[in-house]
Amino acid sequence: MSDTRELLYREALNEALIEEMTNDETVFIMGEGIAERGGSYKVTVDLLEKFGPKRVIDTPIAENGFTGAGVGAALTGMRPIVEILFIDFSMLVLDQIVNQAAKFRFMSGNTARVPLVLRTQGGVGNGLAAQHSQSLEAIFYHIPGLKVVMPSDPYDAKGLLKSAIHCDDPVIFIEHKLLYMNKGMVPDKDYVIPFGEASVKREGEDLTIIAWSAMVPKALKAAEILKEEGISAEVVDPRTLVPLDKSTIIESVRKTEHVLIVQEAIRRGGVASDISSIIQEEAFDYLDSPIAILAGKNIPCPFNLNLEKLVVPQVEDIVKAARKSAYK
Amino acid sequence: MAKKKTINKDFLISLYSTMIKIRKFEEEGTKLYRQGHIRGYFHPYWGQEAIASGILSAMNKDDYVTSTHRGHGHCLAWGADLVRMFSELLGREDGYCKGLGGSMHIADYTKNNLGANGIVGSCVPIAVGAALGIKIRDENKVVTTFVSDGGCNIGSFLEGLNLASAWKLPVLFVIENNQYAVSTPIESSTGETDLFKRGLSFGIEGIRINGNDVLEVYETANKYIDYCGKNSYPYIIECLTFRKSGHHINDPGTYLPEDKVNFYRNNDPLNIGKKHLTKLAGLSDEEINNIEQETDKVIEEALKVALDKPEMEAKDFLRLVDEY
Ligand SMILES: Cc1ncc(C[n+]2csc(CCOP(=O)(O)OP(=O)(O)O)c2C)c(N)n1
Ligand SMILES: [Mg+2]
């Protein structure tokens, strides 16, 4: 089709930012090294030239402070996008996000709104070690008042970031460091992806694999291998964990009767466990095997690359778990 | 507490040797990185060697030190073993952290080196806590915590300053002001670029010195480590310096202004150290060359040993999971 073209994940995000900042002058962005340098992952290139230093702000290393400033600006008519370089550093801003941003709408009896997007980036990379490799979506998932978005490809990244900027509530928008250079088709024309709509990334009959963020391309690779073995896997990407599209998940499980949930984050207290409990409650009668979860190991991420591979699910692990779950 | 050292020939040589060791370690590390033997983050300490060498040689080995993401120099000046340093960068089990930590997390808790840290500023309150323990145990020790200009803007640093003054703790805050936080120049991240003044509003005195002159660094450190210990009170030494390259190995640092790059190239801490050796210790060029060649040999041998070290085995690692 002539009205789509191939973009990198980071380029798709960049386009969403440019479009939204062009459309709405209350949108501005701040973070470390995002203006002059265009961001560590080049998501914010050209923004400074296009929109100037008032709306594209290089911050000091003061995450709690500038995130709080984002909350204040959001409460008073702006639509800030705050970039936290690594999700690991978002642990420094938990008060502003959890106690402040997430609460104001409720505590004010719905008179206050906090249209803030916190863009951040998580997951295991290549030897970045324990303080730069975490998947912490469960922490935000746990907090009422926050939306949690984790796009897995360029198309979703652009459409979801635009929705995040339109959203009147705080959104935790979690990118993945290994996805920035992935390619995908993105339409020329303007589009948004509403929150709460899962995407069936691949249709199948024998088994549902639920995965998000960087686990989606891995699950899709696993599905290719499974196909050769005669197992037809459906891959469902919720795309937004809050709100969660339960109906697409349940519908898929009813069809395949087998389900494997794959998450990069460590298993304990993770989102996969919660999705599993939802399926168990709402589709128990349709299940033909126990709900399987493949997750990161309950341990900090090691620096050594060979050991790092052991702590998060790899394609072969997904294939193995899927075989078992589908009884094949 | 501060060591009493006479500034004689041997001592000047030891200050210089530490600097040259750090420089060459970073040079070899860079090669390993380019060859793909080292992955992840690697923030070279080069350009700032005089600070680690000067400050840490003024401390006693039972004092404590905390470092930053740019920590190789601190570890080496604290006396780290080269084989275990290289092994850690290479992810080998013989490394200081068994290959689990890597460049950004090298520590030696058995030697009171509380380690590098991947979170800017977070070492500062930790240093304060170490000093609190010293005070509670009634010991005569000092804690030195390193931070750079970027780290001076984060809450951890500012809260740490206040805690150290409120509780009257022997903490030496060393600000390695290399004037950049990644690509962000200091002028655009704070309205007060005299960073030692950060302490004044908390009742902490401070001084700014030439961080590239190892002797000036040593003498200042010696004086104020003594001050911190004797008075059980914090102090700030701001060392003006500059990175010798980009923020990390993969950053070409093209944003660094040429005049500053040139100025600091001409004021390289190694050259200043060399001048001291010639003028104050009377060493000939040949003698200085010999020190360098000796260091080359030691580094080369350590690297060879480290490259032969094994990684932690998967089964041993997986056993750790049960502990978490
Ligand atoms: C809390 C936190 N925010 C951001 C980062 C990412 N980061 C790593 S080093 C660095 C720059 C630090 O600058 P500075 O403190 O001046 O140290 P230098 O690199 O100059 O030694 C940044 C922003 C981090 N590691 N921790
Ligand atoms: Mg700096």
Side-chain angles (χ1 to χ4, degrees), chain B residues 98-264:
Chain B
K98 298 196 161 69
L100 301 178
S103 162
M104 243 185 334
H105 305 292
I106 300 181
D108 185 359
Y109 292 93
T110 67
K111 300 260 166 64
N112 293 359
N113 170 2
L114 308 186
N117 204 309
I119 309 297
V120 169
S122 292
C123 270
V124 176
I126 290 171
V128 169
L132 183 61
I134 288 170
K135 187 169 178 177
I136 293 170
R137 294 190 302 269
D138 238 336
E139 291 172 348
N140 244 338
K141 294 177 188 171
V142 171
V143 184
T144 291
T145 181
F146 289 95
V147 64
S148 185
D149 47 291
C152 289
N153 297 318
I154 200 159
S156 292
F157 174 73
L158 299 164
E159 292 181 32
L161 284 179
N162 187 54
L163 289 172
S165 79
W167 293 339
K168 302 192 179 3
L169 300 175
V171 183
L172 180 69
F173 295 87
V174 177
I175 300 171
E176 300 187 76
N177 183 0
N178 58 16
Q179 308 170 56
Y180 274 81
V182 195
S183 57
T184 306
I186 179 173
E187 302 79 26
S188 71
S189 61
T190 181
E192 177 52 89
T193 55
D194 288 348
L195 296 174
F196 68 94
K197 292 184 184 161
R198 288 282 194 281
L200 296 180
S201 59
F202 300 109
I204 303 173
E205 304 271 325
I207 188 174
R208 174 190 272 174
I209 62 171
N210 176 2
N212 281 20
D213 182 341
V214 70
L215 204 51
E216 185 173 339
V217 175
Y218 168 74
E219 287 180 327
T220 312
N222 203 44
K223 180 168 167 195
Y224 291 108
I225 286 169
D226 203 45
Y227 166 97
C228 292
K230 282 208 176 101
N231 302 303
S232 188
Y233 204 73
Y235 194 83
I236 297 179
I237 301 177
E238 177 188 349
C239 303
L240 202 60
T241 186
F242 206 66
R243 295 187 319 236
K244 208 178 141 49
S245 65
H247 173 66
H248 57 76
I249 281 189
N250 290 334
D251 169 17
T254 41
Y255 48 82
L256 297 172
E258 208 166 317
D259 56 330
K260 278 211 167 158
V261 173
N262 287 335
F263 176 84
Y264 282 98

Side-chain angles (χ1 to χ4, degrees), chain A residues 102-139:
Chain A
K103 300 294 190 285
F104 284 133
R105 177 180 170 185
F106 177 82
M107 294 191 305
S108 69
N110 214 24
T111 57
R113 300 304 290 262
V114 184
L116 170 95
V117 181
L118 187 135
R119 271 191 53 240
T120 188
Q121 163 273 119
V124 160
N126 283 308
L128 301 187
Q131 292 177 336
H132 289 71
S133 302
Q134 297 174 94
S135 294
L136 297 171
E137 64 268 24
I139 289 175

Side-chain angles (χ1 to χ4, degrees), chain A residues 37 60-63 86 89 92 126-129 131-132 268 297-300 302-307 310-311, chain B residues 39-41 88-89 91 99-102 104-105 117-119 150 153-154 182-183 189 311-312 314 317 320 324:
Chain A
R37 197 159 40 94
I61 306 174
E63 283 83 359
F86 282 75
F89 314 157
L92 279 75
N126 283 308
L128 301 187
Q131 292 177 336
H132 289 71
R268 188 166 55 221
K297 299 230 160 35
N298 295 327
I299 193 166
F303 165 68
N304 176 292
L305 269 191
N306 291 316
L307 302 178
L310 298 175
V311 300
Chain B
R39 304 295 283 273
Y41 281 123
E88 190 57 37
L89 294 191
L100 301 178
M104 243 185 334
H105 305 292
N117 204 309
I119 309 297
N153 297 318
I154 200 159
V182 195
S183 57
S189 61
E311 301 181 359
M312 186 186 285
F317 174 74
L320 295 177
Y324 292 84

